[in-house]
Amino acid sequence: MRAHPPARPSRPPVLAAAGGTGTYAWSLSSGDLPAGLTLSGLGVISGTPSVAGTTTFTVRATSGGRTATKVLVVTIAVPPLSVATAALNDGVVGAAYSELLAATGGVGGYSWSMAGGSLPVGLALSPAGVIAGTPIAGGATTFTVRVTSGSQQATRALTITVQSPSVSITTTSLPNGTVGQAYGQQLAAIGGDGSYAWTLAGGTLPEGLALSAAGVISGTPAAVGTSSFTVRVASGGQAASLALAITVQLPPVTVITAALPAATLGVAYSQQLGAAGGTGAYTWNLAAGALPPGLVLSATGLLSGTPTAAGTSTFTVRATSGAASGDRELTLVVLVPEVTIATVALPNGTVGQPYNQTLAASGGNGTFAWSVAAGTLPSGLTLSSSGSISGTPSAPGTSTFTVRAASGGREATRQLTIIIGSALPQVIITTASLVPGNVGEPYSAVLLATGGNGLYSWSLIGGTLPAGLDLSASGAISGTPTAAGSAGFTVRAASGDQADTASLSLVIGAALPDVAITTAALPDGTQGALYSQQLNATGGTGEFAWSLTPESNPLPAGLTLSGFGLISGTPTAVGGPTTFTVRAISGSKSASKQLSINIVYPPVQVTTSALADGVVGAAYSQTLTASGGNGTYTWVLAAGSGPLPVGLSLSSAGVISGTPTAAGTSSFTVEASSAGLTASRALSITVVLVLPKVQVTTTTLPGATAGTPYTQQLAATGGNGTYAWTVSAGTPPQGITLSVAGLLSGTAAAA
């Protein structure tokens, strides 16, 4: 017999026999049925086979005392293997995906693999039949999977369609822009197929800005105002729109000078203040407080003079540009020069003989008050407030003392020694403490003593010095510490037949960190504009001395590097980038770094803000003006500009000239270019048939005072707005004149 998988037979096989009484009792004579099958006494073989293979066994039939046997064979076949999964769910770009494949047949344990094609990018098939991952691209992907069970294999072609998520714009607002300053803002969206095409769906961007297909709004705003517009993004057959707005403002005036270097009493001082924003031309004045005596602030922002009094002054400066202004409170400290005691040693004295020595110092305000800060003078001697040590020594010995010189709030001290002979005084070790050291830093300290014959032999008689240090016979503790910690020890000083001992301790701290210059890059400078940039570093002791390395290139012309790391000055020439190498030193640590500064031309600005009216049939000429760049300008009408009045033209030198032929107002935009920089301005010219009559509107003048400067501007209306003034009758007071611009000025010589 042979089983037929995969389904159980609808009717189990029944054994048949002939002979006997016709009723049979069946049983196994030998062997076993296939696992899972049984033989009933009625001859029915039934059950569910659990193991594939061929089984041979012998059956016995018994009837009426008669029996018969027969060898039979049953073959159990493995059910055919097939992939049961007929279709797979769709996925979504960026969303987690997981699907379990199913199979039937075989021996029951399945191993899955790819038989052809590839899964959507981001998905993978595990041996357990799980397709999982996160799709990263849309589209329909067809592939073939293979399932293996025992020696059987089956394949099936399947398809996964990855849908794109809905498109939406995530940028909800845009930052303000500033006239004349570069603007750049990236719009953002989610959904679709991940690639976005942006367009302007309505409204207009601020003048000077544009929207790229990549969703970047960029450019340089040219006019103040708020612009509302609608942007549209398309991706993977989907689209979304959003209304946005950008407000363009004038750059605010800001005083960029944040701190002032200290001044020194009696030493000339000069510091240029800096500002940004507005129209770029600044007028400076003092808004509050008072400058240190001896200093003045010019209208151009130069703080200069020679301080006449020490102290701290806090004041507020104001920079004005057009109708805008900016204030900043500054503090300037006028220092008294450090006091230095010039006397470094004093001669010996003798008991009973007059002694007189005058101490010397420099710095302060030039007048010094002297006193003894520590220790005592030899018996019989005194120190006057004017710095004179005088008197008659009354006892031999060595006196070490500290004198103090004070002047103008500054002071200095110095340790001095006077030996009074002739008997040898008692030796006394005067060093009471030692300054701490650091691991890896060279250390040096000299032990001091008085008495004896003035010559000392030093030795270590107890304890140990910090590792890496030694004590010389002359009393110098020196070396380079190799370990942190505190060491206690006893030293002995011998001089002649006398000696003294002292217990000391020395603390060694951890190694100083390496110096690292943290300034990564320096901003560009502008020719003729104040530049100030502080260099920064870490490590060492935290106090840094800055300089250019010996092999370094110099800084751009007009700039200097201070010892405190401030690069400042006013660049005098365009060029760069200029590369140079700076060094920062702190303790025994140092670091060098290559930096660069690029000096550029100042931005071009059209300074002509209005043009005079013209008259039909009358010659017209107006010269446009600009600032910035390299000072030489090429003028054109800007792209998209309106025309000049009929009969007028603009030369490349910036002259609008000709003879108007028709009345009316023409608005247009001019563009000035210099050194690769460009600026534009909207202007207009009104052409009339006849100019209005010129009328002098000044009817009275204020009185003048003999010997006092006088100035008064005359005013008129009509004409084309540009006036040439002359005296048509009479004469102004002696000493006062009238300019062609209508300014009465001068100093009246007599009443």
Side-chain angles (χ1 to χ4, degrees), residues 410-494:
R410 298 275 189 173
E411 64 177 39
T413 59
R414 183 179 288 278
Q415 190 180 75
L416 297 172
T417 299
I418 297 177
I419 299 175
I420 304 299
S422 57
L424 290 178
Q426 173 66 37
V427 171
I428 299 174
I429 296 176
T430 58
T431 298
S433 62
L434 295 168
V435 297
N438 289 95
V439 172
E441 298 291 314
Y443 183 89
S444 179
V446 177
L447 303 179
L448 300 175
T450 61
N453 60 14
L455 299 175
Y456 306 99
S457 176
W458 295 83
S459 59
L460 190 68
I461 63 172
T464 57
L465 292 170
L469 300 185
D470 294 305
L471 171 64
S472 71
S474 62
I477 297 176
S478 60
T480 301
T482 59
S486 178
F489 49 91
T490 301
V491 295
R492 181 178 185 272

Side-chain angles (χ1 to χ4, degrees), residues 177-208:
T178 301
V179 171
Q181 295 184 9
Y183 184 93
Q185 193 67 24
Q186 174 66 57
L187 301 179
I190 58 174
D193 61 6
S195 61
Y196 304 102
W198 296 83
T199 56
L200 199 62
T204 57
L205 294 170
E207 182 182 353

Side-chain angles (χ1 to χ4, degrees), residues 237-266:
Q238 302 186 53
S241 298
L242 185 67
L244 296 171
I246 297 176
T247 298
V248 178
Q249 305 167 331
L250 278 175
V253 174
T254 303
V255 177
I256 60 176
T257 300
L260 294 170
T264 303
L265 178 66

Side-chain angles (χ1 to χ4, degrees), residues 124-459:
L125 171 62
S126 74
V130 178
I131 298 176
T134 301
I136 62 174
T141 302
T142 299
F143 50 92
T144 301
V145 297
R146 175 189 293 114
V147 62
T148 301
S149 179
S151 61
Q152 297 189 60
Q153 289 186 341
T155 60
R156 185 159 200 161
L158 297 171
T159 298
I160 295 178
T161 299
V162 178
Q163 306 289 345
S164 296
S166 298
V167 174
S168 63
I169 298 174
T170 57
T171 300
T172 58
S173 63
L174 293 170
N176 294 342
T178 301
V179 171
Q181 295 184 9
Y183 184 93
Q185 193 67 24
Q186 174 66 57
L187 301 179
I190 58 174
D193 61 6
S195 61
Y196 304 102
W198 296 83
T199 56
L200 199 62
T204 57
L205 294 170
E207 182 182 353
L209 300 187
L211 171 63
S212 72
V216 178
I217 298 177
S218 61
T220 301
V224 172
T226 298
S227 298
S228 298
F229 49 91
T230 300
V231 294
R232 181 180 185 273
V233 64
S235 177
Q238 302 186 53
S241 298
L242 185 67
L244 296 171
I246 297 176
T247 298
V248 178
Q249 305 167 331
L250 278 175
V253 174
T254 303
V255 177
I256 60 176
T257 300
L260 294 170
T264 303
L265 178 66
V267 178
Y269 183 87
S270 179
Q271 189 69 22
Q272 176 65 51
L273 304 181
T279 62
Y282 308 104
T283 300
W284 295 82
N285 66 289
L286 198 62
L291 298 173
L295 298 186
V296 295
L297 175 63
S298 73
T300 61
L302 181 66
L303 183 60
S304 61
T306 300
T308 60
T312 299
S313 298
T314 298
F315 48 89
T316 301
V317 295
R318 174 172 295 148
T320 302
S321 177
S325 64
D327 293 356
R328 184 182 283 273
E329 184 179 80
L330 297 173
T331 297
L332 178 56
V333 178
V334 178
L335 303 174
V336 174
E338 295 284 350
V339 172
T340 302
I341 297 177
T343 301
V344 296
L346 292 170
N348 297 339
T350 304
V351 173
Q353 295 184 8
Y355 187 93
N356 193 309
Q357 283 292 315
T358 299
L359 303 178
S362 61
N365 61 13
T367 303
F368 304 97
W370 293 86
S371 61
V372 177
T376 57
L377 296 172
S379 177
L381 301 186
T382 59
L383 171 62
S384 71
S385 62
S386 62
S388 175
I389 298 177
S390 60
T392 300
S394 59
T398 299
S399 296
T400 298
F401 50 92
T402 300
V403 295
R404 176 187 291 114
S407 176
R410 298 275 189 173
E411 64 177 39
T413 59
R414 183 179 288 278
Q415 190 180 75
L416 297 172
T417 299
I418 297 177
I419 299 175
I420 304 299
S422 57
L424 290 178
Q426 173 66 37
V427 171
I428 299 174
I429 296 176
T430 58
T431 298
S433 62
L434 295 168
V435 297
N438 289 95
V439 172
E441 298 291 314
Y443 183 89
S444 179
V446 177
L447 303 179
L448 300 175
T450 61
N453 60 14
L455 299 175
Y456 306 99
S457 176
W458 295 83
S459 59

Side-chain angles (χ1 to χ4, degrees), residues 520-533 554-559 567 569-580 594-603 675 677:
L522 292 170
D524 291 348
T526 301
Q527 181 187 30
L530 181 68
Y531 186 92
S532 180
Q533 193 67 24
L555 295 174
L559 299 185
I567 297 177
T570 301
T572 60
V574 170
T578 298
T579 300
F580 50 90
Q594 192 176 78
L595 297 171
S596 63
I597 298 176
N598 190 41
I599 306 302
V600 300
Y601 284 113
L677 303 172

